[in-house]
Amino acid sequence: MAEEKKVGTYICKGCGIGDRVNTAGMATIATRECKSQVTKEHDFLCSAEGVKMIQDDIDNDGVNHIAIVACSRRAKTEAFSFENVAISRGNVREGVIWVRPDTDEASETTQEMAEDYTRMAVHEVSVMTPPTPSGQSEGRKNLLIVGGGISGMTAAIEAARAGYEATIVEKTGALGGSAANLYRRVPESSPFKDPEDSGVAALIAAVDADSKITVHLNSTVTKTSGAPGRFSADITTESGATATENFGAIIQTSGFTEYDANQLPHLGYGKGKNVVTQMELEALAAAADGGVIKTADGKDINSVVFIQCAGQRSDEEGHLPYCSGHCCTTSIKQAMYFKDQNPAIDTTVMFTDLRTPGAGGEDFYRSGQDKGINFTKGVASEVTDNGNGCTVKFRDMILDEDTSTDADLVVLATGMVANAGVDIDVVGQDDPGKWEVSVDSILNLDYRQGKDMPQLRHGFNDSHFICFPYETRRTGIYTAGPTRRPMDIGQAIEDATGAALKAIQAAENAELGRAAHPRSGDLSYPSFRKEGCTQCKRCTVECPFGAIDEDEERYPQFNEGRCRRCGTCMGACPVRVISFDNYSIDTVGNQIKNVDIPEEFDEKPRILVLACENDAYPALDMAAMNGVEYSAFARIIPIRCLGSTNLIWVTDALNSGYDGIILMGCQKGENYQCHFVKGSEIAQDRMSKVDDTLQSLSLEPERVETYEIAITDIERAPQLINDMAATIEKIGMSPFKF
Amino acid sequence: MSDMNTAMVEKYRNSFLSEVEANVEEGEWVKMCMQCGVCSGSCPFGPYWDHPPQELFMMIRAGKREAVLSSESMWMCTSCYNCIARCPRGLPITHIMHGLAHYAKRLGLAPKNQQTMKFASIFWDNLTKKGRVNELQLGLKLYFMNGFVEGIKTALCMKEMGMSMLMTKRMSPMEYFGGHSIKDTKGLHAILKKAREIEEAKAKQF
Amino acid sequence: MAKKEYSFYPGCSSQKAASASNYQTSVNSMCDVLDVQLNEIPDWNCCAASIGYAGGGELPRLAMSARNMALSEQAHPDQDIVATCAACWLATKETQERLHNDGGLMEETNKALAEGGLTVKADQNIRHMVEVLIEDFGYDALGKHVTRPLEGIKIAGYVGCQTNRPFGIDGESFENPKYLDKLVETLGADPVNNYDRKVSCCGGALAFSEPEKSQALIKDIIEAAYDGGADMIVTPCPVCQLNVEAYQGQINKKYNTKFDIPVVYYSTLMSVAYGKSYKESGLDGQMIKAKQLDAIAKK
Ligand code: SF4
Ligand code: SF4
Ligand code: SF4
């Protein structure tokens, strides 16, 4: 039985609010205009006493919808967290008194602001419901790890140590991945002087010994479906036998493939045994096992040239545009293989920029110099066979001359290509009912948006590399190691450890129905009114996280566990049937509609600001803390993501007489900072349609502006509001005031 | 080619770097340069060096023995120590420059007319003779180090300055006939002789 | 305060009728006021400066400085060695560092010294006079003796190279050491605050062998002092002093400038401020007269 809705409004007079605005007037508005059943003012609302007052009303008076008119929703979140009730916040501290001058002339407009924020808070909460979890999760906590190299094994061991079961699916016949082919690795601890044992054997032993870890060798994942807490995966062996298992979360550690050196014939590759790649040299070194390293055809080696950036950091067709990060240090390590065995062997590392990242990188470089490795800043143009070995032609970048050197062996530092599966931007998903396994896919997801993890650029899997490097665009599935970005062993270990913890967190969250980052803990999830749905699939296509599938009848099927609660689907829906319990077309629409719009000749314009809660809204809060003032005509509504902006809000606002509208989202594109990856970008595309609306209303295009705001824009964000106020002064008030 | 030079070429054949490491003051640091160029950019005479320090280090590593040792470059070092103060790798660059210059001279490869070399040699001879510098003799020798005619020209050019120094009693014509000296010149000469012997014996060892 | 005593290494240029004899004069006057006794190292020899390298190899050059240290150890074992010349200080300090850090050098040096009947431990502190002033006295104590503040004189503190790098004065930065400015302030004069060429090289000994190039550097040093509104330049180094003062005439000819800026030692400033006479302050040694100081000294 649904409880009866009872709205309580609590107005704080602390932090100077009571001195600057007439809270009694606000209370009257809440009660008379907004029909708040219980309205109270308090001198110090976030104090134990104030909080108790509210809790008492909840407990004894049946209040279940609470509008707190005090500080920003980003402040005092602990104090104002009440269970099982809907809560809204009217921001009269950061949003009003801190951004307005304390003068007599300003007091009237300041009061109007405070009253509007009161109206907005009460009207918002009246259409909210306290969210409850959907119960979709099956509560599974075990991890599926796809790829049994260093990253995969590390993730499994870390998960097991934390008490979670892990299953490794490895394509080849043995664990170890690329690292298993290394003779030695770059040192990971002080004094960073000599190559070290790769540690692979020890890792394999640890995996084998762990009762919480199961390993499937010679196996691949042929189908993945479900959501965090209830993933299902088909694990198929070489012979074709398939077993279906269930998991709580997934980590993809599919590693890298060495760049194909056959694309570098000018560097002599493929013509003889004296030009090898770094990986091939590892094999030669492993075969020598500390003894004399010889070429594959058994020749002595007295001089070696390592050519860095072979086919990397290059604009040429077929080359890798990026730096693989590990290869400079790897070449130093490999030159040491020779120097440690016989210091008389000449080793030259030919580089354009020597990069030795990591804490020990510089020490290792120095150790290499100390051991007599020669470092030459130069670009190799051609490697030819001279009968006795190779001649390397190169441009010496310091001496600024074309020159050459002879070497018995040339080693090419060719870089990493991610094993990231199929590029879903190129290869679309099979149509419903016609789904088939792809041999090129790593995960074989049955998700509507495609079979593998989305890629950002250069073929690496996308992750939120600026703010939350582990978060991918498929909730509950994490990528770690070189499939995510080029990295060395040390970084891969760290990466896998982080991914394991994120995967555990995802499984735990799923069980409780809670959202993952950035709305961590949010219990709301999108639901849609089937009767209204036109099956346009906008939501399915636009969801940045691929959370929406299609059912047999082609209706959207929301997977709550995969959803990040950004609301992009809600913004996308042309018939507005998607909503959350605590965030909907109405919760925002009600706020827009209930702002008091003065008559045209009052010369008091209204500017609606829809501000992303992750960057723009905090920026405005911080501006307020720093005492930056902005126009008293602005009414700011925080939104989950610019992607959740439905055009109807803009249209409604224009129709009801707002004079200007500002949309504030995050940076989009390759260097995106949008917390929901694609939300801001999608919204900005969507907003291009606003011009039509403006035209049909014969309104100036300057009345609606969209900006990318960073959290650091504490001067700029208020300035943009003031700019809009100035624009309105110039072009005049909107004629649509009623 | 001096005998020593021939011997060195013979001994180190391909590796000029090893030669420098063994024979040049602080030469074992050359391999540690990471080619950042800070030294070259910090050097007051930078624009006049054919090969600034960074480049000299690279040339040594590239085995350009002749070009390095017959270069005027290291003779351009004013001993300002700017490079040392700034080198992120802590190379004693100033000392390496001095060491290279000294080595080049010892091998007879330094450019014959190198002015700083001439001056520095005269300076050393002057100071070791009596244990202290005789500025007047040093000055006169310097004027004439490039021959009589040049010397008269330099002396004329320096006349005004010399006169001011005489007037302010910061130079004395009496110095020409003896001047400052330590008492135990014999002891000092014995010390220097021994030091030279030890150094030469070491060079032979390699 | 008790008398302070140091084992003093004057260096060649400070000798009678040598290029920095005026430096020595003012140092003596300054020490007189501060009650400092400088005990000259008996029979000290030249340090070979940085330019000795063409003739002398590493060990012979080290031996020169080692001999001075050995003599000091014998004569004044409990005192710090103090030098007034930047090059002397640097060469001696460098020798000490090398002897202690470079494996066999200590032994080899002692072998050589034995020929002259000496041995060296090289464990006395080796200090520049400026360090003595700053560390053993401090600006406040130095200020107490000022009887004739150098009011109204603007002075560019030209620190130069060798008192600054590679060792430098404790607590000062290589790129912008402030001690001369603080000293200038202590004496009641005004420092040039952003003196652009404060730590630039004057060419050092290469002023002789590469006069054109060095004079280009010196010109910049003087120009920057003028740009900062300086009436005079102060320096802690005899090579800096000589180079910047003595070549102004030649530079004027070559560059058509009208440079005529006095270059004095910190000890000159201190002697004058401490009430010493024109002669006692070494002002008679100025090739370019420091008229403002002359006026105060003759008061
Ligand atoms: S668009 Fe956002 S809110 Fe909608 S289903 Fe996808 S993740 Fe969830
Ligand atoms: S010490 Fe010599 S090499 Fe170094 S910056 Fe000064 S002049 Fe140049
Ligand atoms: S500053 Fe040091 S590391 Fe840099 S180029 Fe010069 S010597 Fe090499």
Side-chain angles (χ1 to χ4, degrees), chain B residues 32-40 53-54 57 83 86-91 93:
Chain B
M32 299 307 287
C33 167
M34 64 174 183
Q35 294 294 309
C36 67
V38 165
C39 50
S40 308
Q54 170 202 16
F57 298 150
C83 50
R86 290 182 184 166
C87 172
R89 275 298 178 79
L91 268 76
I93 302 158

Side-chain angles (χ1 to χ4, degrees), chain C residues 89 118 154 156 165 170 194 250 267 292:
Chain C
W89 174 63
L118 294 169
K154 187 131 187 158
R165 297 180 295 261
D170 225 18
N194 294 309
Q250 292 185 33
S267 50
Q292 286 148 300

